[in-house]
Amino acid sequence: MSTGREIRLIEEDEGGWSAIDQELNVASQGETREKALSNLDEAVELTKEAREADTDAPEPDAPWFEE
């Protein structure tokens, strides 16, 4: 079943994977694709909870979010 989310999945040169939900501006990483996606799901849920509670989510600390 599709969740309707569009995710970028990137194999990193140094090893491991990055998963990015650009619509929500949330990213995570993992040693495998599955772990990166699992970590992204967790990060998305925590971010949604923080936004609903009107608290600040952590600032992104990843090179793909640098402007």
Side-chain angles (χ1 to χ4, degrees):
M1 183 167 94
S2 173
T3 62
R5 290 171 47 202
E6 187 173 329
I7 304 299
R8 282 189 68 199
L9 192 57
I10 302 167
E11 186 173 13
E12 299 295 343
D13 293 336
E14 306 82 28
W17 291 81
S18 295
I20 306 163
D21 184 323
Q22 290 182 302
E23 182 179 335
L24 295 175
N25 202 28
V26 177
S28 195
Q29 61 186 17
E31 289 297 316
T32 65
R33 293 174 2 166
E34 293 79 12
K35 188 62 176 173
L37 290 169
S38 175
N39 289 343
L40 180 63
D41 286 341
E42 182 179 355
V44 165
E45 287 304 314
L46 291 171
T47 299
K48 285 180 179 180
E49 288 175 14
R51 289 176 182 169
E52 289 171 1
D54 199 28
T55 60
D56 293 333
E59 289 296 318
D61 184 22
W64 52 81
F65 285 118
E66 292 178 4
E67 294 183 37

